[in-house]
Structure formats: structure tokens, C-alpha cells
Amino acid sequence: DAEITQSPRHKITETGRQVTLACHQTWNHNNMFWYRQDLGHGLRLIHYSYGVQDTNKGEVSDGYSVSRSNTEDLPLTLESAASSQTSVYFCASRAGAGGFNEQFFGPGTRLTVL
Amino acid sequence: QQQVKQSPQSLIVQKGGISIINCAYENTAFDYFPWYQQFPGKGPALLIAIRPDVSEKKEGRFTISFNKSAKQFSLHIMDSQPGDSATYFCAATSNNAGNMLTFGGGTRLMVKP
């Protein structure tokens, strides 16, 4: 069955370190997204991609970057981790460009920055 | 700026009762309103969705009520069960707003047996 996976599931790091969170989907979806989830804020969009070599900033992109070298993967990098980036991170994908297309979410990565 | 406001933040309902979660939006260009359900340790999953050309959509025990003039929509869970205990997110999007989902803040529902 097609799926979307994230790794690691849990990560503890120190302030200032570079961290990369992996996202891999086997749906062959062109559209991929990264969100962060914080209590009271719901899910906020960090970055998104409509296809290979395409990346775009979302609502809360400062301090984060992504790259898209193939259809299956969209890694999220925190260039210099900050305590404010402690959160749960979700990757998602969808088949089409329209907002009405269902987004499929990964299981999440809980990141703690000390 | 929170374009989709969701209430309440948490909700406790007895088994068999009705759970009601409300959302209000500001952007009149939104034209698709999904609800996502998230169980602990899992990612959100699409539960039910509605377009503004209808006032209600029902799927089993789950119903979305939509009030376009008030810019509000709500999720009703009839005969709530302990297995419905989860966090629920409303969302909104538009083909004219970059097709991005704007999420509400979430409601943590607990259904007591």
C-alpha cells in the first residue's frame, strides 16, 4: 500500500545545530507539504513543493529550508535550531494542485530543541 | 492573522451525546471546507468535507453544517463514542488562495464511557 513516512519519529537536539527531518511518500504525488503543529495554533504551513526542483515558502518559513530532488522525498532542514522550533512536524502529500484534493499526512516527528 | 477560528479548544462529552465543534472564517474566497481527525501519535486524516453550495453534509454519524452568510461551519458528531476521542481540525481553502489549507486551532474531544 502507498504511504507517507517520516523519520526520525523523535529527535532531541541542541540550540544552533543543523537538523534534517525526512519525509518519503510512495503515492507518487507531485504536491508535498511541511507543517508544524503547536497547541492552539493548529497546523501551520512551513514550506511546500509542487514538483521536482520546485519549493515555496509557507506561513512560517523563517529558519527552515527544503529541497526537492525527486518526487518521493521532501526533507526539511533547520539550519540553526532554536528553542522556538520545538514542535511536532508533519509532512503531507496530495495528488493534484487543487485545494479540494485530499492531503495525506505522515505520522509526525516530535522535535525538541534544548 | 488566524483566518479560521475554531472553538472550543477542548470538549468533554458523555457516550451517546452530541459533540459540536464550531469554526468561523474570514476569507470569503474560501470554497472548500474539510475536517481532519487526529488520533494521538498519528497524523491528521480527512474525515469529511463540504463546499459552500450546500448547507449540510452527512456521512454516518458525522455532519457538517455550513452557514455561508455568517461565514461559519460546524461539525456535529451524533451518538458520540469513546473511539471518537481525538483532536479535530477544521480547515478552509480556495483555488484562488494558492490552494493551501488554512487550519483552525484544533479541538481536543474526549468522549467519556
Side-chain angles (χ1 to χ4, degrees):
Chain A
D1 287 342
E3 60 178 356
I4 181 165
T5 57
Q6 294 183 235
S7 63
R9 294 295 312 278
H10 299 88
K11 174 77 175 179
I12 300 175
T13 190
E14 296 177 343
T15 301
R17 290 190 179 270
Q18 183 181 78
V19 176
T20 296
L21 309 182
C23 173
H24 179 80
Q25 53 98 1
T26 59
W27 297 96
N28 201 35
H29 288 164
N30 284 323
N31 296 251
M32 295 185 72
F33 309 84
W34 273 104
Y35 295 89
R36 59 178 290 173
Q37 181 178 2
D38 304 287
L39 190 64
H41 290 278
L43 292 140
R44 291 181 292 174
L45 184 64
I46 305 171
H47 280 285
Y48 60 101
S49 170
Y50 286 144
V52 176
Q53 301 301 330
D54 177 76
T55 61
N56 305 279
K57 294 181 178 179
E59 176 188 359
V60 290
S61 61
D62 287 349
Y64 304 93
S65 64
V66 293
S67 60
R68 188 86 181 272
S69 60
N70 58 52
T71 300
E72 296 79 17
D73 299 289
L74 187 70
L76 177 71
T77 297
L78 287 69
E79 302 293 344
S80 177
S83 57
S84 60
Q85 295 177 308
T86 292
S87 185
V88 181
Y89 291 86
F90 288 97
C91 179
S93 72
R94 73 183 183 199
F100 53 85
N101 288 283
E102 180 178 355
Q103 283 195 19
F104 297 88
F105 286 82
T109 294
R110 182 174 295 275
L111 176 67
T112 302
V113 182
L114 301 176
Chain B
Q1 180 185 5
Q2 191 174 10
Q3 294 194 54
V4 179
K5 294 184 178 180
Q6 182 171 347
S7 62
Q9 275 196 320
S10 62
L11 180 63
I12 300 174
V13 174
Q14 290 294 131
K15 178 182 176 181
I18 301 174
S19 304
I20 301 174
I21 303 170
N22 300 299
C23 285
Y25 63 96
E26 300 171 4
N27 188 345
T28 55
F30 287 146
D31 59 6
Y32 183 70
F33 302 88
W35 285 87
Y36 280 79
Q37 179 187 54
Q38 182 184 28
F39 293 106
K42 305 290 186 182
L46 180 65
L47 179 65
I48 187 173
I50 195 169
R51 291 186 181 273
D53 52 346
V54 296
S55 60
E56 185 175 282
K57 183 173 182 180
K58 183 176 181 179
E59 290 184 3
R61 296 184 294 108
F62 299 90
T63 299
I64 301 177
S65 297
F66 187 84
N67 186 328
K68 188 174 182 179
S69 61
K71 294 187 288 185
Q72 296 175 348
F73 59 110
S74 60
L75 177 68
H76 296 237
I77 305 175
M78 311 300 288
D79 186 27
S80 298
Q81 299 297 313
D84 297 330
S85 297
T87 299
Y88 293 82
F89 294 97
C90 62
T93 186
S94 165
N95 285 333
N96 294 326
N99 300 314
M100 296 299 117
L101 285 174
T102 298
F103 286 90
T107 297
R108 183 172 292 183
L109 171 66
M110 178 184 295
V111 181
K112 288 192 169 183

